Amino acid sequence: MIRWNEESPKTQQALLTRPAVMASKTIQNSVQQIIEEVTCEGDAALLKYAELYDKRSNPRLVVPQEEIDNSAQQLSLELKEAIEQAYANVKTFHQAQQPKDIKLTTSPGVECELKYQAIDAIGLYIPGGSAPLPSSVLMQGVCAQLSGAKTVVLCTPVNGDNCIAPAILYAAKLCGISKVVESGGAGAIAAMAIGTQSVPKVNKVFGPGNSYVTMAKQLLSQSQTGFAIDMPAGPSEVLIIADERANPEFIAADLLSQAEHGCDSQVILLCNSESVIEQTQRALDAQLQVLPRRDIAQAAMANSALILVDSIELAFEISAQYGPEHLILQLAEAAPYLPQVKNAGSVFVGDYTPESAGDYASGTNHVLPTYGYSKVYSSLNLLDFYRTYTVQSITPQGLKNLSRAILPLADAEGLDAHANAVKIRLEAMKND
Amino acid sequence: MIRWNEESPKTQQALLTRPAVMASKTIQNSVQQIIEEVTCEGDAALLKYAELYDKRSNPRLVVPQEEIDNSAQQLSLELKEAIEQAYANVKTFHQAQQPKDIKLTTSPGVECELKYQAIDAIGLYIPGGSAPLPSSVLMQGVCAQLSGAKTVVLCTPVNGDNCIAPAILYAAKLCGISKVVESGGAGAIAAMAIGTQSVPKVNKVFGPGNSYVTMAKQLLSQSQTGFAIDMPAGPSEVLIIADERANPEFIAADLLSQAEHGCDSQVILLCNSESVIEQTQRALDAQLQVLPRRDIAQAAMANSALILVDSIELAFEISAQYGPEHLILQLAEAAPYLPQVKNAGSVFVGDYTPESAGDYASGTNHVLPTYGYSKVYSSLNLLDFYRTYTVQSITPQGLKNLSRAILPLADAEGLDAHANAVKIRLEAMKND
């Protein structure tokens, strides 16, 4: 247990410092080579990586529509309904985020609009690994579907059975994804950014991944014109603020549900009760024993801290300084503190709101800024699949009025042709 | 004059390809050194650059509040009122963009919110050069002001008179900017991203600049945790779609008002009338003669093209493919075509809506995605000064309902601690 107020400012800062994530030069060079190969060889490069990295003897790229359509038949009824329930809630929450165009007259004869346009072509990346991640498909796929993007392509590597898990395909089917490609890693990201024979070139790629995927997203978003990515990536993290009447078993369960994500996950508890912290420590030890991913969770707990604070107000200040991806509030009365929430990705209020509810099914998006980026980046939302542009339409009299602003400003900025474009029109009006 | 349909697909593509903007390794190394110096030396580094690059004998950093307050006294009444009129229109248009929180029940007992938080600390950069750019201050400063950001700092280099132009200071005053710093280039960007004794550390930097500024924004947004930038930078550009009854003098004036920005500006005309194109060419020659920035405009015209198209529909397709920063429509009837607008930063409709109206005073923002980034990036708008986050609050019964989705999904994804966090609560409910 750490007592916040007994630590030096330096130690306090160190407690809130995340482990450095170094992008190695080796990874950068490998990814750069992959990007060049995909640019030159297209599909052939992707097929080569599938043989090389996924050990596939007869790799294919595009999943036939029939397999997507029939995916539900391979799911238990329980899992099928779980995917449908999660899909429905996520859709309800994101549907409410549909943007509305704005149109107004800023001054007489000057009409201005702010309009939303769905980004044309969207790429979704779903990492492979030990288990499929249908929830990641839903979180990104629902947004792409609601935006009405013309092209939505999903890339993911096959699993140990040499196929894409039916849970992934069924989630993709619900989201109306037009193309599923069996391709993973930096090659898949490059294919979506550049385009190959089988993979359409997209404008924006969403989704998590390992350090090669992250590097590919970063390099391609800098080098490919008109191509963007969702947000910077970092290890997952949770911060819990709890008071003296919080349930230590619940706190321990929530800390571990974050810690099991990966050895680099970070979990922090800020609590004003010594006794709750001690009980949480005991509950952690007990719950850890029976956890299948115990080794991972234990490693993550080593980057983590249970901190005693003098007041809940101070806990909110520390949280704002840290900027957690997930912020869980287990407080007798959370409502009065909600206006103090700052720099959090997603907030979980009350004893019966575990992080896993938001990870899967409450309706909020589980793609969140992490590693301190919640100070400036948004939680993934429907607007990330749109862009805005403006339209203006001015009457002759409107332009005459505006000329009193335009002409002196163009003159001050030394831009005569800017002034000319107005003067020539004022002249034409006189002659009308 | 280029006849679109007589060109090969390859030439057509070449016509729409922007000149490559290469970030040189030399610039990257210089900027990297500047970032290191600002990190280690703080203000001292900024003062050193002011002596070195701006040739100042007694450089200072922070402009005294009194100079900002008295700036209007040094302006002509005409320019003062021009700044005020532009400020009012830009404010009106952006005020209408104030975001609204969303709150809904996604399923019984599950309440979800999408909330907006103003980004805490904003940095604005205004480049120096031959003339001051008060309009750039307004476009960024109004948004920062409307968002209610706690800290807004503006960095700009002094001009030839060894001071910041009063037009810049007055625009800053109207926007309620809390601190104006006499510092330019990559050093100023580094100071805002890292923080020095005089310059507060900010979360997001907005504003244009030369290749050093652009490189500093890029490098720092990758290396500084919790720091972001507005959008990728590129040379300015306009695409005009005109029909047979468009006014060639107006077209020429608009093309030149873009071309005078810089030698790397690109201007394109798509027109279905040979005669209008010929008359535009003549008007261009005549108008160029009397332009003070003739050399720049002439150089820019060399990257540019007047293209004859078979139909206005085709012109809109070409425009969507190019993705222009500015799109001007000089058409007898523009309204039926507006739904075909795609991938434009800002659209100017009608004979009396020159680009310079939007640059200065219509109310729309003149900070726009360029270089093809309008396929995926938004025009600068008020939401760029906010971030969103979510909040969820679930009742015991709500969690019980959700558990039918959470438990099978956590099981499918092999995340037992995620399931545990729910199971432990379901158990607790039974015991209640």
Side-chain angles (χ1 to χ4, degrees), chain A residues 255-293:
Chain A
L255 291 172
L256 288 176
S257 77
Q258 185 58 50
E260 77 172 340
H261 268 300
C263 301
D264 54 0
S265 286
Q266 205 175 15
V267 308
I268 294 176
L269 170 65
L270 302 173
C271 181
N272 62 353
S273 156
E274 218 170 311
S275 139
V276 169
I277 293 182
E278 281 163 4
Q279 291 174 67
T280 299
Q281 186 61 64
R282 280 195 293 274
L284 275 172
D285 292 341
Q287 291 183 24
L288 251 178
Q289 293 317 311
V290 293
L291 209 60
R293 292 165 74 96

Side-chain angles (χ1 to χ4, degrees), chain B residues 1-5 12 15-16 238-246 251 255 267-274 276-277 280 304-324 326-331:
Chain B
M1 190 188 321
I2 292 145
R3 290 162 199 272
W4 183 261
N5 283 348
Q12 289 176 350
L15 281 167
L16 302 184
V238 71
L239 188 148
I240 301 181
I241 299 179
D243 64 13
E244 60 287 347
R245 51 95 276 159
I251 298 174
L255 291 171
V267 309
I268 294 175
L269 170 65
L270 301 174
C271 181
N272 62 354
S273 158
E274 219 170 309
V276 169
I277 293 181
T280 300
S304 303
L306 310 186
I307 301 173
L308 181 68
V309 290
D310 285 351
S311 71
I312 298 300
E313 281 75 14
L314 175 62
F316 276 90
E317 280 168 34
I318 296 171
S319 172
Q321 199 183 325
Y322 180 69
H326 304 95
L327 172 62
I328 299 181
L329 305 180
Q330 298 197 9
L331 302 170

